[in-house]
Amino acid sequence: MFGQSNSPRFRSALAGTLGVGLVFGLAACGGSDDSDDDSNTATQSSIDCAQFSSFGDLKGKTVSVYTGIVTPEDTAYKESYKPFEQCTGVTIKYEGDKSFETQVLVRAKAGNPPDLAIVPQPGLLKQLVATGKAVEAPAEVAANVDKFWGPDWKAYATVDGKFYGAPSGANVKSLVWYSPSEFKDSGYTVPTTLDELKTLTDKMVADKKKPWCAGIGSGEATGWPLTDWQEDMMLRLYGPETYDKWVSHEIPFNGPESTAALDAVGAYLKNPAYVNGGLGDVKSIATTTFQDGGLPILEGTCSLHRQASFYAANFPKTTKVAEDGDVFAFYLPGKDAASKPVLGGGEFNVAFADRPEVKAFQTYLSTDTWANIKAKGSQGWVSANKGTDPNNLSNPIDKLAATILLDPKASFRFDGSDQMPAAVGSNAYWKQVTSWITGQDTKTTVDNIEKAWPK
């Protein structure tokens, strides 16, 4: 659940080589390493525009961008577009709309789509392609994606053999939050396998602690954190190929794999010796909001909390989130140290026009040049573009997320429930796992979710 911050459901939660088709001087354009947006504003004098000549003179041309990314997150996007605008003469018209996911479909079906949309979730991308208004990405963009991203990312933007857009931002959900000082004082080490995670948990119990804390309350979306837990376990126990079959319902939701994955979650969250540190018993997980679920770490009454990178925003502003800070996170390990399954989300740049200026802008957005400029001016944003230098990110959690995404061993998969039919992914799945955490058995839970799948 919750692929990206512009999802309506999410709102309840809260200088490598250059790509094909673009040559751009990073040293000339990158600006200061200061993360302030104002200090990163590109000026005409700091840009080597000679190397943009292949795009031609685009003066008088306009490219419209439509997205659910609104203020204040939109500032870094607009700043990252300025070098392209100033060197080509084109105007980028940015429109952020909290109703984007609904309205972009309305506009596409009505024949009034934007030139370019920043699309979260592969399911929405497929819906937009189905309108007949989306256009295939140009060859230069496809070549850049082959160069800078893995085939798993390209597959999410490919429909019926046609490729529609380069990835933009990304986020990581496979994280466990912890207290660095507690680990140091207690002699704990960050686990590198699921077995080591279990051993660590048992050691904490032996030290008279309730290791894990969790909360799944989220209004109408109550239950979604448990879907993320199960998705992470599916990836770890059975691998990305089986995960894909489960998400697309090629294997049933009540099959042995899904059942075992939910039981693997229960081994932690339904174990009264493990939860709910600082918050209550197992059933308190259902009545604790997800925003409050990890806060006991700061109080020393909980040691571990599985939640995505965006959870950093829920700690008090005075909290130091860093490897040597009050709280930080580590990668939720795989079954063995050699595998690196990563659950997360992201967006894609999908075009609805094939004018030269639109193709040129798409190409710019598919390069490592844009990714690094965007990284320097952003907080809470990372890219899976292999040309991104994590050192351009000033936020420790962003650096951690980027390091995970850019690991050559990483196998990235999008949130599963977001790709399932709404009757399942944003209804029965949430409701049934909520009943499960308060006492319903696993078989009844997976059977009920399977029954909800549209025939």
Side-chain angles (χ1 to χ4, degrees):
M1 169 55 214
F2 296 142
Q4 206 52 30
S5 61
N6 49 330
S7 165
R9 290 178 289 177
F10 184 93
R11 286 185 216 115
S12 70
L14 124 114
T17 55
L18 301 184
V20 176
L22 176 67
V23 182
F24 183 68
L26 269 179
C29 307
S32 165
D33 283 340
D34 192 323
S35 62
D36 263 19
D37 287 329
D38 290 342
S39 66
N40 282 299
T41 301
T43 61
Q44 184 70 44
S45 61
S46 68
I47 301 172
D48 179 8
C49 289
Q51 296 178 346
F52 274 79
S53 59
S54 62
F55 292 124
D57 184 359
L58 302 178
K59 285 188 179 72
K61 305 295 185 181
T62 299
V63 176
S64 62
V65 176
Y66 187 44
T67 173
I69 301 167
V70 299
T71 185
E73 289 82 7
D74 59 352
T75 301
Y77 280 87
K78 294 174 183 177
E79 292 296 323
S80 72
Y81 300 161
K82 286 186 177 180
F84 182 82
E85 290 182 282
Q86 293 176 1
C87 290
T88 66
V90 74
T91 297
I92 305 301
K93 184 180 179 182
Y94 185 103
E95 181 184 357
D97 182 359
K98 290 182 179 180
S99 300
F100 166 81
E101 291 189 41
T102 300
Q103 290 304 310
V104 70
L105 280 169
V106 171
R107 287 177 56 175
K109 291 175 181 177
N112 183 37
D115 293 328
L116 191 80
I118 304 175
V119 181
Q121 304 175 15
L124 180 57
L125 186 151
K126 291 177 181 177
Q127 288 180 277
L128 289 167
V129 171
T131 68
K133 299 300 191 297
V135 299
E136 286 186 69
E140 294 85 355
V141 172
N144 278 341
V145 171
D146 288 337
K147 180 177 183 177
F148 292 123
W149 282 271
D152 43 3
W153 279 96
K154 189 174 185 181
Y156 279 117
T158 300
V159 182
D160 296 330
K162 296 180 179 180
F163 173 65
Y164 286 91
S168 181
N171 61 67
V172 173
K173 298 189 174 189
S174 302
L175 294 178
V176 178
W177 293 85
Y178 72 104
S179 164
S181 61
E182 180 194 4
F183 269 49
K184 182 179 180 180
D185 294 343
S186 301
Y188 302 145
T189 57
V190 170
T192 60
T193 67
L194 282 179
D195 284 345
E196 289 181 9
L197 181 64
K198 176 69 163 54
T199 299
L200 171 63
T201 301
D202 288 336
K203 179 171 174 43
M204 290 173 170
V205 171
D207 291 341
K208 311 298 183 185
K209 299 175 180 179
K210 283 284 183 76
W212 291 86
C213 49
I216 65 168
S218 188
E220 293 181 358
T222 290
W224 70 260
L226 288 175
T227 71
D228 283 4
W229 261 94
Q230 186 180 12
E231 290 158 8
D232 254 332
M233 287 301 181
M234 276 292 290
L235 272 175
R236 279 151 181 76
L237 297 180
Y238 297 102
E241 290 76 20
T242 299
Y243 177 88
D244 292 341
K245 292 178 180 178
W246 176 63
V247 170
S248 63
H249 207 223
E250 292 178 51
I251 59 174
F253 204 102
N254 58 351
E257 303 89 352
S258 180
T259 301
L262 189 56
D263 279 338
V265 179
Y268 285 96
L269 296 188
K270 294 187 82 168
N271 185 338
Y274 287 0
V275 295
N276 192 15
L279 296 167
D281 58 8
V282 172
K283 291 184 178 180
S284 71
I285 293 173
T287 56
T288 300
T289 66
F290 93 87
Q291 293 96 331
D292 291 342
L295 298 184
I297 292 175
L298 296 177
E299 300 165 1
T301 53
C302 167
S303 303
L304 301 167
H305 177 66
R306 184 228 158 272
Q307 190 50 275
S309 54
F310 62 69
Y311 191 76
N314 289 285
F315 293 109
K317 291 183 179 180
T318 55
T319 305
K320 182 179 180 182
V321 181
E323 198 167 5
D324 60 349
D326 303 310
V327 65
F328 199 52
F330 60 79
Y331 165 72
L332 177 65
K335 194 171 183 179
D336 56 67
S339 61
K340 199 77 176 267
V342 180
L343 182 71
E347 317 102 351
F348 298 87
N349 297 311
V350 178
F352 298 86
D354 59 1
R355 304 190 311 277
E357 61 268 25
V358 178
K359 289 183 176 182
F361 188 53
Q362 274 187 287
T363 302
Y364 172 60
L365 296 179
S366 68
T367 64
D368 58 341
T369 302
W370 177 77
N372 281 293
I373 291 174
K374 178 68 170 62
K376 287 184 177 182
S378 297
Q379 291 281 337
W381 182 92
V382 298
S383 173
N385 185 312
K386 295 174 185 176
T388 306
D389 182 356
N391 291 319
N392 285 330
L393 298 160
S394 60
N395 183 315
I397 282 293
D398 292 348
K399 285 186 178 181
L400 173 66
T403 300
I404 292 170
L405 288 167
L406 298 174
D407 189 320
K409 296 185 296 183
S411 294
F412 182 89
R413 287 298 184 271
F414 265 77
D415 181 288
S417 60
D418 279 342
Q419 300 178 69
M420 296 175 183
V424 179
S426 56
N427 192 331
Y429 198 175
W430 293 345
K431 292 175 181 177
Q432 290 300 315
V433 292
T434 299
S435 296
W436 173 81
I437 202 64
T438 56
Q440 181 171 279
D441 65 88
T442 298
K443 185 178 187 305
T444 299
T445 301
V446 296
D447 282 348
N448 286 345
I449 298 171
E450 174 65 21
K451 289 175 185 176
W453 210 283
K455 305 304 181 192

